[in-house]
Amino acid sequence: MPSAADPAFLPVINRAKQVMATYSDMEELIRLGAYRPGSSADVDEAIGFHKPLEDFLSQLKDESTGMGEGYQRLAQILSNPATQN
């Protein structure tokens, strides 16, 4: 991915991957209700960004978005706490 992505957006891409990996690591506990909110700031953040990031990654066959626009939207999601649940 690094060679395919605009270098200016690599920090945003890496941040999104980190947030999604954190959620994935804790997903089973979250879904079972065994995770207590407030136990980890990183996990709380990942939970908040989960829906906006999943929505961002969902694309219908007939939709198209340019790479630059996609990177900008990803940066917007990750920089705006209001996008969290």
Side-chain angles (χ1 to χ4, degrees):
M1 176 85 163
S3 62
D6 181 334
F9 288 100
L10 286 178
V12 171
I13 294 166
N14 289 334
R15 176 84 174 107
K17 288 166 60 174
Q18 174 206 7
V19 168
M20 293 180 75
T22 298
Y23 186 91
S24 180
D25 289 346
M26 297 296 292
E27 186 170 14
E28 190 170 341
L29 292 176
I30 294 165
R31 289 188 187 275
L32 292 173
Y35 173 75
R36 282 185 314 158
S39 299
S40 166
D42 290 340
V43 176
D44 291 343
E45 177 184 57
I47 291 168
F49 281 124
H50 180 71
K51 174 114 174 72
L53 287 172
E54 286 294 315
D55 290 347
F56 169 78
L57 292 171
S58 300
Q59 181 172 317
L60 300 175
K61 289 190 315 185
D62 61 342
E63 292 179 318
S64 108
T65 301
M67 292 289 280
E69 183 182 344
Y71 292 141
Q72 289 174 350
R73 178 67 184 126
L74 183 59
Q76 181 183 31
I77 290 167
L78 293 173
S79 67
N80 186 358
T83 62
Q84 296 182 36
N85 289 4

